[in-house]
Amino acid sequence: MRRKMKKYILLAMLLVIAGCGTAAKEKDLGEETSQGTVTAQEIPQATEEMNKENEKEREESKPEEGTVVVSPEDLIEPEIEEKEVTEVTPESSDSARLQIVFLGDSILDGYRNETGIASITGELCNADVYNLAMGGTTAALSQYENAVFEDWTSRSLQGVVHAICGNVDAGILNGYRAGEVFATCDFSKTDYFVIEYGMNDFLSAIPLNNDSSTNQEYTYVGALRIAINWLRSTYPDAQIVLCSPNYAQFWGKDGAYLGDGNMVDNGGGTLAAYYRVCGNVSADENTLFLNAYEGIGLDTYSADEYLEDGIHLSEKGRRKYAEKLSEVILGYEETRNN
């Protein structure tokens, strides 16, 4: 019953705020960069428009009309039921196969079996896969975490990247499956680093950006840029695929439906805003890009079959996500080989 009620509520809200969640379309760029040719599905077309939208959000002191402002404490963050780990870590790298390293949160970490995004992508791309995702992690540092390498404890995206690049002790991954996988990977053989973060940054109300050149480690945009630049400088032959957070729907602790990623603002902006700035970073940094918010067929109409709890993807959703991610990787491989 709640599912049916939810659809009617969503349709009513969407009519009120029509146009607020403008889609970023894709275009053919064919641009030559230091990382190779950037092809059709890699960078959103509306980069300039998205930048204007984000600038408008920073300038306005109040949320835009139609948003639902909530406190982070009022949101339910669903937990994934623990599942058996059957994801296979390669015993040794095969030079005939691609090597893909995944960095992310529970969207990747919660399903370490044959139905997981990493496993399906490896199968579709004929690749050796190393999944370093950790559930509950953000791209940015929290305000309580230290950004000094010597005192580093954070398991955020930046922490994993700094461990990969040798800046901090990989012991920060101890106790996680990611730590076991890390110990078996020769990162110098990596063809693709897949970066998937943003949902927990939104849920934690991590700032999108700030106007200062300092403390960028504590913002979503700054964290993505730092990670990309460290990976590029340390492993220049590897490509980077930046994945936006996926579309989601949110409930309060009392079970009441609050709204979706286009409506709910819990202090840092809507989830759609995090998606847009992720696309901006991809365009600015010339990475490959997966639009997981609008580009995998997931929206208010398909949410019941693509999401299992409002945030995490169902088996069908994970399959679609992996298929689209594989298209990005294989599309680039075809361009590079030609």
Side-chain angles (χ1 to χ4, degrees):
M1 174 64 76
R2 188 178 75 174
R3 294 286 188 185
K4 292 182 179 178
M5 292 284 294
K6 177 186 67 179
K7 285 188 174 181
Y8 291 120
I9 295 170
L10 269 173
L11 288 172
M13 286 184 171
L14 286 172
L15 287 173
V16 173
I17 62 167
C20 290
T22 305
K25 306 296 182 184
E26 298 168 346
K27 73 174 181 178
D28 239 330
L29 293 183
E31 177 186 352
E32 288 292 336
T33 74
S34 60
Q35 294 296 309
T37 303
V38 179
T39 55
Q41 54 200 355
E42 297 151 11
I43 295 178
Q45 180 181 17
T47 302
E48 190 173 331
E49 294 175 14
M50 289 192 291
N51 276 322
K52 289 179 180 177
E53 287 185 45
N54 296 327
E55 186 62 33
K56 180 181 176 182
E57 287 184 17
R58 286 194 292 271
E59 291 175 355
E60 293 182 347
S61 58
K62 62 180 181 180
E64 28 178 302
E65 184 179 352
T67 58
V68 179
V69 181
V70 302
S71 168
E73 290 76 21
D74 293 336
L75 283 174
I76 289 180
E77 186 175 350
E79 293 185 7
I80 301 175
E81 182 182 349
E82 190 170 343
K83 298 174 176 63
E84 182 183 2
V85 175
T86 58
E87 188 178 70
V88 177
T89 301
E91 294 184 3
S92 60
S93 297
D94 183 345
S95 59
R97 291 163 60 88
L98 294 175
Q99 177 168 304
I100 305 175
V101 173
F102 285 84
L103 313 175
D105 52 33
S106 59
I107 300 299
L108 300 177
D109 182 39
Y111 312 90
R112 289 180 175 271
N113 54 35
E114 67 280 359
T115 74
I117 292 169
S119 293
I120 297 173
T121 304
E123 177 185 348
L124 294 175
C125 294
N126 189 33
D128 290 331
V129 168
Y130 295 84
N131 187 354
L132 302 183
M134 289 177 284
T137 54
T138 57
L141 298 182
S142 77
Q143 59 181 319
Y144 307 106
E145 292 177 319
N146 197 323
V148 177
F149 288 161
E150 291 77 9
D151 302 319
W152 196 280
T153 59
S154 174
R155 290 185 289 269
S156 63
L157 164 64
Q158 294 170 89
V160 182
V161 168
H162 287 318
I164 290 172
C165 296
N167 298 327
V168 304
D169 190 335
I172 60 173
L173 309 181
N174 289 348
Y176 288 78
R177 172 67 176 167
E180 301 171 21
V181 176
F182 185 100
T184 68
C185 185
D186 180 351
F187 294 102
S188 67
K189 297 180 179 180
T190 302
D191 296 290
Y192 294 90
F193 287 103
V194 175
I195 297 176
E196 175 276 313
Y197 285 86
M199 188 66 73
N200 291 317
D201 293 84
F202 163 76
L203 292 171
S204 302
I206 295 290
L208 288 168
N209 210 338
N210 64 37
D211 297 327
S212 170
S213 61
T214 60
N215 298 322
Q216 288 296 324
E217 299 93 339
Y218 298 89
T219 71
Y220 179 56
V221 167
L224 294 179
R225 292 190 190 281
I226 289 168
I228 290 167
N229 287 313
W230 270 107
L231 289 174
R232 275 212 177 124
S233 63
T234 309
Y235 303 102
D237 294 330
Q239 266 293 335
I240 295 172
V241 185
L242 191 57
C243 305
S244 75
N246 57 266
Y247 170 87
Q249 299 175 345
F250 305 102
W251 281 265
K253 292 182 178 179
D254 59 357
Y257 178 68
L258 300 177
D260 68 0
N262 299 316
M263 308 172 193
V264 176
D265 181 334
N266 71 340
T270 62
L271 183 62
Y274 285 77
Y275 141 62
R276 287 195 296 267
V277 297
C278 184
N280 291 344
V281 171
S282 174
D284 291 344
E285 300 291 345
N286 289 315
T287 75
L288 304 182
F289 181 68
L290 174 64
N291 178 353
Y293 195 89
E294 297 174 320
I296 64 173
L298 171 56
D299 55 26
T300 181
Y301 303 102
S302 62
D304 282 353
E305 57 179 335
Y306 277 63
L307 296 173
E308 63 179 29
D309 57 17
I311 290 178
H312 299 104
L313 297 165
S314 66
E315 185 171 343
K316 182 174 182 178
R318 297 194 297 276
R319 166 65 63 172
K320 181 63 72 172
Y321 189 115
E323 289 173 351
K324 291 297 184 180
L325 177 57
S326 298
E327 286 179 15
V328 172
I329 293 172
L330 294 177
Y332 181 78
E333 282 296 298
E334 183 176 352
T335 301
R336 186 174 67 172
N337 293 334
N338 289 338

